[in-house]
Amino acid sequence: MLRRMNIYKLIKYAQIGDNEAMGMILEKFEPMAKSVSAKYYGTWADFEDFVQVGFVGLIQAVYNYKETSNTKFSTFAYLNISSEIKSFITYLNRQKNKVLTEAIDIDNTLDDSSENGESFFETGEDEFKNILVSYIIDSSIETLKDDEKEMINLWRKGYSYSEISKKLKIKNKKIDNTIQKLKKILSKKESVYYKVQTFFGGGK
């Protein structure tokens, strides 16, 4: 029955949680996601990573689309896919600069260390084993206010509430509220991530 529906009916079903309808939308717009990805694809990540990020934009387009907006869904989807991939490129560039900076820092200390540098490259690979997860987490953090980002970044580095409180001169309650806020944002993104992974056969 779903296969006989037009895209707008499929969107309505997908918006209320019908995974089969969402899967059919992803299937219909896979060529678009690949076409946009091909325009921006670079060697810093696999082509499939770009396509998966494009699907993140597509799924969010499905959830946010309003038929009363007088915009065709195909146009809305294209804009969302493109925007998400551009954000991904910004994220990759930040990661690339971070890795290069850390590589320089390590290179400058090699004379004082017994390490041969291999551990650094192993760590770098681990960070990118699931680049989509890293991108979703970091892009979610980017939606926070500057003071909230500072709290979250310290928390991710292993600082305790007490240490963050002392360092930033804020109350533990504010730290906890910020962490819970981020978890709420991520819980919404989690369903998007699993839909993408399911479509790609379980991910990498």
Side-chain angles (χ1 to χ4, degrees):
M1 184 179 71
L2 286 173
R3 290 202 172 273
R4 294 196 296 271
M5 289 183 180
N6 65 36
I7 186 64
Y8 298 101
K9 286 187 178 179
L10 286 173
I11 290 168
K12 286 179 180 177
Y13 273 89
Q15 286 176 339
I16 60 173
D18 191 313
N19 289 330
E20 189 178 350
M22 179 64 82
M24 290 183 67
I25 295 169
L26 298 186
E27 188 178 322
K28 283 176 181 289
F29 284 85
E30 183 177 13
M32 178 185 285
K34 287 183 174 178
S35 174
V36 176
S37 296
K39 284 174 60 178
Y40 296 102
Y41 168 63
T43 56
W44 188 242
D46 292 338
F47 179 70
E48 187 178 272
D49 292 325
F50 277 80
V51 178
Q52 288 191 4
V53 169
F55 271 83
V56 170
L58 174 57
I59 292 169
Q60 290 177 158
V62 172
Y63 287 141
N64 295 327
Y65 183 73
K66 292 180 176 62
E67 202 168 349
T68 55
S69 65
N70 294 321
T71 302
K72 288 175 63 178
F73 177 72
S74 58
T75 303
F76 189 67
Y78 182 88
L79 292 173
N80 276 265
I81 292 168
S82 299
S83 175
E84 200 68 43
I85 289 176
K86 287 175 185 176
S87 296
F88 182 54
I89 291 169
T90 301
Y91 164 77
L92 289 176
N93 286 333
R94 281 201 306 267
Q95 294 301 308
K96 183 178 181 180
N97 290 334
K98 177 183 172 185
V99 169
L100 290 173
T101 301
E102 289 175 354
I104 291 168
D105 289 343
I106 287 175
D107 190 50
N108 288 338
T109 59
L110 281 180
D111 292 340
D112 301 320
S113 171
S114 60
E115 295 285 344
N116 60 10
E118 289 180 4
S119 59
F120 163 72
F121 293 105
E122 289 170 0
T123 302
E125 288 173 3
D126 287 343
E127 288 177 0
F128 285 90
K129 275 185 179 175
N130 198 327
I131 200 168
L132 184 57
V133 170
S134 299
Y135 167 68
I136 287 174
I137 292 171
D138 284 7
S139 60
S140 297
I141 292 172
E142 282 301 310
T143 65
L144 301 175
K145 298 174 183 175
D146 287 343
D147 61 331
E148 293 173 332
K149 290 178 192 175
E150 197 171 4
M151 288 179 236
I152 293 296
N153 287 331
L154 288 171
W155 178 63
R156 290 180 79 191
K157 288 176 182 177
Y159 283 76
S160 67
Y161 279 25
S162 298
E163 289 170 330
I164 298 171
S165 176
K166 186 176 179 181
K167 191 175 180 69
L168 301 182
K169 296 179 174 57
I170 54 177
K171 293 181 179 179
N172 283 4
K173 182 63 177 172
K174 186 173 182 179
I175 299 165
D176 188 59
N177 286 344
T178 300
I179 290 169
Q180 296 310 316
K181 179 181 177 180
L182 176 63
K183 287 181 177 179
K184 202 171 188 178
I185 294 169
L186 289 174
S187 69
K188 293 177 181 177
K189 295 287 186 75
E190 186 178 22
S191 64
V192 174
Y193 168 78
Y194 282 115
K195 282 179 172 62
V196 172
Q197 293 300 293
T198 299
F199 186 81
F200 279 85
K204 292 182 281 186

Short mmCIF file of all heavy atoms in Angstrom, two decimals, residues 16-44:
data_model
loop_
_atom_site.label_atom_id
_atom_site.label_comp_id
_atom_site.label_asym_id
_atom_site.label_seq_id
_atom_site.Cartn_x
_atom_site.Cartn_y
_atom_site.Cartn_z
N ILE A 16 5.03 10.32 11.81
CA ILE A 16 4.40 9.73 13.00
C ILE A 16 5.07 8.41 13.39
O ILE A 16 4.55 7.65 14.20
CB ILE A 16 2.87 9.52 12.80
CG1 ILE A 16 2.59 8.59 11.62
CG2 ILE A 16 2.16 10.85 12.65
CD1 ILE A 16 1.12 8.20 11.49
N GLY A 17 6.23 8.15 12.79
CA GLY A 17 7.04 7.02 13.24
C GLY A 17 7.01 5.76 12.40
O GLY A 17 7.49 4.72 12.84
N ASP A 18 6.47 5.84 11.19
CA ASP A 18 6.43 4.67 10.33
C ASP A 18 7.81 4.48 9.66
O ASP A 18 8.17 5.22 8.74
CB ASP A 18 5.34 4.82 9.26
CG ASP A 18 5.08 3.54 8.49
OD1 ASP A 18 6.06 2.89 8.05
OD2 ASP A 18 3.90 3.19 8.31
N ASN A 19 8.56 3.50 10.13
CA ASN A 19 9.91 3.28 9.63
C ASN A 19 9.94 2.82 8.17
O ASN A 19 10.87 3.11 7.43
CB ASN A 19 10.64 2.26 10.50
CG ASN A 19 11.00 2.84 11.85
OD1 ASN A 19 11.24 4.04 11.98
ND2 ASN A 19 11.03 1.99 12.87
N GLU A 20 8.90 2.06 7.78
CA GLU A 20 8.84 1.58 6.39
C GLU A 20 8.66 2.76 5.44
O GLU A 20 9.29 2.83 4.38
CB GLU A 20 7.70 0.58 6.22
CG GLU A 20 7.71 -0.11 4.86
CD GLU A 20 6.61 -1.14 4.70
OE1 GLU A 20 5.93 -1.46 5.70
OE2 GLU A 20 6.42 -1.60 3.55
N ALA A 21 7.80 3.71 5.84
CA ALA A 21 7.59 4.91 5.01
C ALA A 21 8.88 5.72 4.92
O ALA A 21 9.25 6.19 3.84
CB ALA A 21 6.47 5.76 5.60
N MET A 22 9.58 5.84 6.04
CA MET A 22 10.85 6.58 6.04
C MET A 22 11.86 5.88 5.13
O MET A 22 12.58 6.53 4.37
CB MET A 22 11.41 6.67 7.47
CG MET A 22 12.74 7.41 7.57
SD MET A 22 12.63 9.16 7.10
CE MET A 22 12.00 9.85 8.65
N GLY A 23 11.91 4.56 5.20
CA GLY A 23 12.83 3.79 4.36
C GLY A 23 12.56 4.01 2.88
O GLY A 23 13.50 4.12 2.08
N MET A 24 11.28 4.10 2.53
CA MET A 24 10.93 4.32 1.14
C MET A 24 11.33 5.72 0.68
O MET A 24 11.78 5.92 -0.46
CB MET A 24 9.43 4.11 0.94
CG MET A 24 9.02 2.65 1.07
SD MET A 24 7.27 2.39 0.77
CE MET A 24 7.20 2.79 -0.97
N ILE A 25 11.22 6.71 1.58
CA ILE A 25 11.65 8.07 1.24
C ILE A 25 13.16 8.10 1.03
O ILE A 25 13.66 8.70 0.07
CB ILE A 25 11.23 9.06 2.34
CG1 ILE A 25 9.71 9.16 2.43
CG2 ILE A 25 11.83 10.45 2.08
CD1 ILE A 25 9.19 9.91 3.64
N LEU A 26 13.88 7.44 1.92
CA LEU A 26 15.34 7.39 1.78
C LEU A 26 15.74 6.73 0.46
O LEU A 26 16.67 7.17 -0.21
CB LEU A 26 15.96 6.63 2.96
CG LEU A 26 15.75 7.22 4.35
CD1 LEU A 26 16.56 6.43 5.38
CD2 LEU A 26 16.13 8.68 4.42
N GLU A 27 15.01 5.68 0.12
CA GLU A 27 15.30 4.98 -1.14
C GLU A 27 15.05 5.89 -2.34
O GLU A 27 15.85 5.94 -3.28
CB GLU A 27 14.39 3.74 -1.22
CG GLU A 27 14.70 2.81 -2.36
CD GLU A 27 13.79 1.59 -2.36
OE1 GLU A 27 13.48 1.07 -1.27
OE2 GLU A 27 13.40 1.17 -3.46
N LYS A 28 13.94 6.64 -2.30
CA LYS A 28 13.60 7.53 -3.41
C LYS A 28 14.62 8.65 -3.58
O LYS A 28 14.92 9.08 -4.70
CB LYS A 28 12.21 8.16 -3.17
CG LYS A 28 11.03 7.24 -3.44
CD LYS A 28 9.73 7.93 -3.07
CE LYS A 28 8.52 7.04 -3.30
NZ LYS A 28 8.21 6.83 -4.73
N PHE A 29 15.16 9.13 -2.46
CA PHE A 29 16.06 10.29 -2.50
C PHE A 29 17.53 9.93 -2.36
O PHE A 29 18.37 10.83 -2.27
CB PHE A 29 15.65 11.31 -1.43
CG PHE A 29 14.41 12.08 -1.80
CD1 PHE A 29 13.15 11.57 -1.54
CD2 PHE A 29 14.51 13.30 -2.45
CE1 PHE A 29 12.01 12.26 -1.90
CE2 PHE A 29 13.38 14.02 -2.82
CZ PHE A 29 12.12 13.49 -2.54
N GLU A 30 17.83 8.63 -2.41
CA GLU A 30 19.24 8.21 -2.35
C GLU A 30 20.04 8.81 -3.52
O GLU A 30 21.17 9.29 -3.30
CB GLU A 30 19.35 6.69 -2.35
CG GLU A 30 20.78 6.22 -2.21
CD GLU A 30 20.89 4.70 -2.12
OE1 GLU A 30 19.88 4.01 -2.41
OE2 GLU A 30 21.98 4.21 -1.76
N PRO A 31 19.52 8.81 -4.76
CA PRO A 31 20.29 9.41 -5.86
C PRO A 31 20.61 10.89 -5.60
O PRO A 31 21.70 11.36 -5.94
CB PRO A 31 19.37 9.25 -7.07
CG PRO A 31 18.52 8.06 -6.73
CD PRO A 31 18.28 8.16 -5.26
N MET A 32 19.68 11.62 -5.00
CA MET A 32 19.92 13.02 -4.69
C MET A 32 21.04 13.15 -3.66
O MET A 32 21.95 13.99 -3.80
CB MET A 32 18.65 13.70 -4.17
CG MET A 32 18.88 15.17 -3.79
SD MET A 32 17.43 15.96 -3.02
CE MET A 32 16.39 16.19 -4.47
N ALA A 33 20.99 12.33 -2.60
CA ALA A 33 22.01 12.38 -1.54
C ALA A 33 23.39 12.07 -2.12
O ALA A 33 24.39 12.72 -1.77
CB ALA A 33 21.66 11.39 -0.44
N LYS A 34 23.45 11.11 -3.04
CA LYS A 34 24.73 10.76 -3.66
C LYS A 34 25.21 11.86 -4.60
O LYS A 34 26.41 12.14 -4.67
CB LYS A 34 24.59 9.43 -4.41
CG LYS A 34 24.50 8.23 -3.48
CD LYS A 34 24.45 6.92 -4.25
CE LYS A 34 24.51 5.73 -3.30
NZ LYS A 34 24.41 4.44 -4.03
N SER A 35 24.28 12.47 -5.31
CA SER A 35 24.63 13.54 -6.25
C SER A 35 25.20 14.75 -5.52
O SER A 35 26.22 15.32 -5.91
CB SER A 35 23.39 13.95 -7.05
OG SER A 35 23.67 15.06 -7.87
N VAL A 36 24.56 15.14 -4.41
CA VAL A 36 25.05 16.27 -3.62
C VAL A 36 26.39 15.92 -2.98
O VAL A 36 27.31 16.74 -2.97
CB VAL A 36 24.01 16.67 -2.53
CG1 VAL A 36 24.57 17.79 -1.66
CG2 VAL A 36 22.70 17.10 -3.17
N SER A 37 26.51 14.71 -2.48
CA SER A 37 27.76 14.27 -1.85
C SER A 37 28.91 14.32 -2.84
O SER A 37 30.03 14.72 -2.49
CB SER A 37 27.61 12.84 -1.33
OG SER A 37 26.63 12.77 -0.31
N ALA A 38 28.64 13.94 -4.08
CA ALA A 38 29.68 13.93 -5.12
C ALA A 38 30.22 15.33 -5.40
O ALA A 38 31.37 15.52 -5.76
CB ALA A 38 29.14 13.31 -6.40
N LYS A 39 29.37 16.36 -5.20
CA LYS A 39 29.78 17.75 -5.44
C LYS A 39 30.80 18.22 -4.41
O LYS A 39 31.66 19.04 -4.69
CB LYS A 39 28.56 18.67 -5.38
CG LYS A 39 27.67 18.62 -6.60
CD LYS A 39 26.42 19.46 -6.39
CE LYS A 39 26.77 20.93 -6.14
NZ LYS A 39 25.54 21.74 -5.97
N TYR A 40 30.67 17.68 -3.17
CA TYR A 40 31.49 18.18 -2.07
C TYR A 40 32.53 17.19 -1.58
O TYR A 40 33.37 17.53 -0.75
CB TYR A 40 30.58 18.56 -0.88
CG TYR A 40 29.64 19.69 -1.17
CD1 TYR A 40 28.29 19.45 -1.44
CD2 TYR A 40 30.09 21.00 -1.20
CE1 TYR A 40 27.42 20.48 -1.72
CE2 TYR A 40 29.22 22.05 -1.48
CZ TYR A 40 27.88 21.78 -1.72
OH TYR A 40 27.02 22.82 -2.01
N TYR A 41 32.45 15.98 -2.06
CA TYR A 41 33.31 14.90 -1.56
C TYR A 41 34.80 15.25 -1.63
O TYR A 41 35.29 15.76 -2.61
CB TYR A 41 33.05 13.62 -2.36
CG TYR A 41 34.05 12.51 -2.15
CD1 TYR A 41 34.20 11.93 -0.90
CD2 TYR A 41 34.86 12.07 -3.19
CE1 TYR A 41 35.13 10.92 -0.69
CE2 TYR A 41 35.77 11.06 -3.00
CZ TYR A 41 35.91 10.48 -1.74
OH TYR A 41 36.83 9.49 -1.54
N GLY A 42 35.49 14.97 -0.52
CA GLY A 42 36.94 15.16 -0.44
C GLY A 42 37.58 13.92 0.16
O GLY A 42 36.90 13.02 0.65
N THR A 43 38.88 13.87 0.14
CA THR A 43 39.59 12.64 0.55
C THR A 43 39.69 12.47 2.06
O THR A 43 40.16 11.45 2.52
CB THR A 43 41.01 12.63 -0.04
OG1 THR A 43 41.69 13.82 0.39
CG2 THR A 43 40.97 12.60 -1.55
N TRP A 44 39.30 13.50 2.84
CA TRP A 44 39.45 13.41 4.29
C TRP A 44 38.47 12.41 4.92
O TRP A 44 38.61 12.00 6.05
CB TRP A 44 39.29 14.80 4.90
CG TRP A 44 39.62 14.88 6.36
CD1 TRP A 44 38.76 15.22 7.37
CD2 TRP A 44 40.87 14.60 7.00
NE1 TRP A 44 39.40 15.19 8.58
CE2 TRP A 44 40.70 14.81 8.38
CE3 TRP A 44 42.11 14.19 6.52
CZ2 TRP A 44 41.73 14.63 9.30
CZ3 TRP A 44 43.13 14.02 7.44
CH2 TRP A 44 42.95 14.23 8.80
#
